[in-house]
Amino acid sequence: MRYSIFLVLFIVVCSTSLLSVTLIWKYYHKSINMRTLTLDIRQLMNCPHRPNIIQRELYRVILRSCCNATGEMILTNQNTKLGQKIHYETNQKLFKTVDKNLDSMLPKALPWSKGLLGHCAVEGSGGILQNSSCGAEIDSADFIIRLNLSPVTNSKDVGNKTHLMTINPSQISGYYNLEKVPQLLANRVAAYGNASLLLPAFSYQICTRPSLDVYHALRPLRPNQKVVFFNPNFMLNLGKKWKGQGLKEQRLSSGLILVSVAMELCKEVHIYGFWPFSLDLNHNPFPHHYYDNVGPKKGIHSMPDEFLLLLKLHTQGVLQLHLGRC
């Protein structure tokens, strides 16, 4: 297995009162020694996690200054006006003009724009959640973000409470003729209660129609479940920010996007199911997701790079990464 990733070298000294972690990151092209990598990470995860309020607030300021999830994460009537051109994230030459129909679909404002959320959990759907018994711990959070219609039937490992769920428009292709047969999708999203459903309607032109179809299909059947759309300017700016920090990939994954959102909006952030490798910390194999073994499209995301970025944030005390059993 070959990856183009950041080499991470851990020098870890743990005691009851002190955690000293030095990270040296170098860009390289070589095979990963998974046994060495998992051993280093297992030793690191055995150390007590020390939140760093200064680092946490620094990243909050940085993310708000560049991207402003507080006011710009989703399209609203406050940041998007009738007649305005919405330029697509991946091709700024293409745009959609906000007409009365689209304007009526947008919420008046972001629900979290008035203050910080509390303890947030972002669940990344990785196979490492299998047999983790993390469900109760995830459900104890004040605000829970899940990704890509991930199932919550295995509540022992992943919990079932949800406040925000992302949907990849490609997942809608299996629901034929939503206008006439919306009930199947309505039944599926009912598992998430009244969680808001978040779609990247304006990342690519091909995403627009299925995203708008989801809104129209669910509105009469589930009026209390909001369907909202990512602001493409927010997505573009966030991508530029992390790429400016050395992350090299075509597009950010929805996981890293939502972790970044949580870092700005939440007082503390805990993340689960973020592990891009096929072996766990004890070198046992497991599937890519806790519910299937379908990996990401090649050439779009760089999950190992993103994971090592999250690991760096963990060691800095900005967020807490949970791996293995809870």
Side-chain angles (χ1 to χ4, degrees):
M1 183 184 300
R2 295 179 63 85
Y3 292 103
S4 170
I5 71 169
F6 294 104
L7 172 64
V8 58
L9 172 65
F10 301 103
I11 304 171
V12 184
V13 179
C14 292
S15 69
T16 57
S17 60
L18 176 65
L19 168 62
S20 173
V21 180
T22 302
L23 293 174
I24 302 174
W25 300 69
K26 294 181 180 178
Y27 199 72
Y28 84 127
H29 296 266
K30 62 184 294 186
S31 297
I32 297 175
N33 184 325
M34 281 301 299
R35 190 169 297 278
T36 300
L37 180 66
T38 54
L39 176 61
D40 287 339
I41 296 176
R42 186 165 70 242
Q43 290 175 340
L44 174 64
M45 298 308 294
N46 285 334
C47 296
H49 183 258
R50 305 292 177 125
N52 188 321
I53 296 176
I54 294 176
Q55 284 291 324
R56 186 183 294 171
E57 292 304 314
L58 176 61
Y59 273 97
R60 193 190 318 282
V61 170
I62 290 172
L63 288 169
R64 185 163 297 179
S65 297
C66 79
C67 312
N68 189 19
T70 307
E72 300 289 338
M73 173 190 158
I74 64 173
L75 296 173
T76 69
N77 292 142
Q78 287 186 345
N79 59 39
T80 309
K81 304 301 180 184
L82 187 65
Q84 179 177 329
K85 294 178 180 179
I86 300 175
H87 291 269
Y88 282 85
E89 174 201 351
T90 55
N91 188 341
Q92 291 283 285
K93 294 181 180 179
L94 302 177
F95 62 86
K96 181 175 178 59
T97 302
V98 180
D99 55 19
K100 290 184 178 179
N101 180 50
L102 179 56
D103 183 68
S104 68
M105 298 168 67
L106 305 182
K108 292 182 179 180
L110 273 74
W112 47 74
S113 59
K114 295 183 179 179
L116 289 179
L117 301 172
H119 169 180
C120 295
V122 184
E123 184 250 282
S125 307
I128 200 167
L129 280 168
Q130 285 190 347
N131 302 314
S132 67
S133 299
C134 287
E137 187 172 306
I138 294 172
D139 278 353
S140 70
D142 301 315
F143 194 84
I144 301 166
I145 300 170
R146 302 182 189 273
L147 308 174
N148 299 330
L149 289 178
S150 55
V152 291
T153 50
N154 183 6
S155 59
K156 179 182 177 181
D157 290 337
V158 303
N160 53 36
K161 287 173 57 179
T162 311
H163 297 92
L164 181 65
M165 171 66 77
T166 67
I167 301 178
N168 190 319
S170 64
Q171 295 176 295
I172 306 305
S173 61
Y175 295 90
Y176 301 104
N177 200 352
L178 272 178
E179 181 179 355
K180 294 184 178 179
V181 190
Q183 193 63 55
L184 289 177
L185 180 60
N187 291 344
R188 180 168 182 179
V189 301
Y192 313 122
N194 289 328
S196 296
L197 305 175
L198 176 60
L199 296 98
F202 302 102
S203 289
Y204 296 91
Q205 276 189 309
I206 197 174
C207 296
T208 304
R209 176 45 52 193
S211 298
L212 301 186
D213 286 346
V214 169
Y215 177 93
H216 291 299
L218 295 180
R219 186 180 183 188
L221 297 176
R222 300 192 58 78
N224 294 324
Q225 190 157 37
K226 293 182 179 180
V227 176
V228 295
F229 309 122
F230 267 119
N231 184 338
N233 286 334
F234 170 80
M235 304 270 275
L236 184 65
N237 290 333
L238 186 62
K240 289 179 178 178
K241 181 61 185 176
W242 284 127
K243 290 174 185 178
Q245 299 294 314
L247 193 61
K248 299 182 184 299
E249 58 181 340
Q250 184 174 332
R251 297 187 70 242
L252 303 183
S253 71
S254 54
L256 181 55
I257 291 170
L258 271 298
V259 169
S260 301
V261 167
M263 286 165 58
E264 181 184 335
L265 298 181
C266 305
K267 292 181 179 178
E268 59 178 280
V269 179
H270 296 254
I271 62 176
Y272 303 80
F274 284 85
W275 179 257
F277 308 111
S278 58
L279 300 174
D280 66 15
L281 292 177
N282 294 312
H283 231 245
N284 298 313
F286 58 78
H288 183 74
H289 296 122
Y290 66 83
Y291 52 87
D292 68 30
N293 198 27
V294 179
K297 291 184 179 179
K298 294 182 179 180
I300 302 296
H301 307 307
S302 181
M303 297 305 192
D305 285 13
E306 290 193 357
F307 171 76
L308 293 176
L309 171 61
L310 296 175
L311 193 62
K312 177 183 177 182
L313 295 169
H314 171 89
T315 63
Q316 291 177 328
V318 177
L319 52 76
Q320 186 166 358
L321 174 64
H322 298 265
L323 301 173
R325 294 183 62 84
C326 292

